[in-house]
Amino acid sequence: MKILLIMDPGIPIPPPTYGGHERLIYMFAEEYTRLGHQVSLLAGPNSIISGKVYSFGLNDLKRSKWQKTKELLFVWKFLFRNKKKFDLVHNFGRLAYLIPILNESVKKIMTYGRPVSKKGIKTITALPYKNLTFTACSNYCVTTGNVAGLWKTVYNAIDFSKYQLREKVATDAPLMFLGRLDKVKGVHHAINVAIQSGSKLLIGGNIPDTKDNLEYYEKMLKPFFDQKQIIYLGALNDYEKNKYLGISKALLFPINWDEPFGMVMIEAMACGTPVIAYNRGSVKEIVSDAENGFIINNEDEMLNSLRSIEKISRKKCRLIAEQRFDVTNIAQQYLSLIK
């Protein structure tokens, strides 16, 4: 089968550090290739997969609206000219990219990893279309856009072969937070819990650049980074995530918003590291309470759950997650949608 994957420019594929969806697309491209399919990628400059790459646009997350309009026109022209060359177009980018082929026979999957614009779904499905399946990364995420069309839940994935299971950690092993240092991610809750429990806390993630989140970082987080108990590691690559997650006794995930999925949770589980997470968004779909972590509601409950963290089998923690979220399984789920 000939497959075309599409992603917005902004971050190259695979991403050097931050870029959850970009990392997903790279994994699926390589897995589809391993399964014997001919895979092409339409994405930003400097993107690399084993198959053919068509580059367009700019790798700049702050690029202008005019630049994004030019990118849209480029994709429209590309798809119109090449619509008969592919059996499947799997789009992780803008829904509007698909307009030229909406009513063509080529199979189409539109995948979402964040809350969905209901207006966009209603607009597209008001046009003539066929062979189009919408997917989102959790049941929660599906509910944000399921107002028209055919919807399926297909969870996000990681390549578990890239992560090392650590069955045992030190008795004084640190806690870890991994993610953007934005207020909605709740890093301050993780810091409070670490201080109250007397634990070290490793923090990996990007310093925010939006005004409100930068102010949050400067006032609520940075003053606590003593590099002794509260240790800021910076943005981490895959090797570093594997290293630091592996030595941690738990990943703290105290989100203050409805997270559509939360890739860091399964990255932690791949290392055998249990997840203690606030019950928001997709958390209850990913964390099996008392099996690979704990689902809690506030800092006090997070503190209490730390007392039971050693009861969780790190080997079982990884096994449960691998059976559900390994890229080999998730890629097959996508392909099964078009049979």
Side-chain angles (χ1 to χ4, degrees), residues 29 45 68 73 92 97 118 132 134 141 143-144 150 152 178 183 215 219 236 260-261 263 276 296 312 328 330:
K68 292 180 180 180
L73 294 174
F92 290 79
Y97 288 160
K118 292 181 172 67
L132 172 62
F134 296 99
C141 198
T143 65
T144 68
L150 175 63
K152 300 288 184 181
L178 181 60
K183 189 172 183 179
E215 182 178 355
K219 292 183 177 180
L236 304 182
F261 186 81
M263 294 278 285
I276 307 175
I296 45 83
I312 292 179
T328 57
I330 302 300

Side-chain angles (χ1 to χ4, degrees), residues 12 85 153 183 208 241 272:
K85 291 184 179 180
T153 296
K183 189 172 183 179
K241 285 193 289 186

Side-chain angles (χ1 to χ4, degrees), residues 13 152 170 175 188 200 296:
I13 295 172
K152 300 288 184 181
L175 302 168
H188 58 290
K200 284 186 178 180
I296 45 83

Side-chain angles (χ1 to χ4, degrees), residues 2-30:
K2 295 179 180 178
I3 301 174
L4 174 68
L5 298 169
I6 306 176
M7 183 55 184
D8 300 320
I11 299 174
I13 295 172
T17 52
Y18 175 75
H21 251 61
E22 288 78 10
R23 185 169 285 104
L24 279 172
I25 293 164
Y26 178 76
M27 286 191 299
F28 291 132
E30 298 305 290

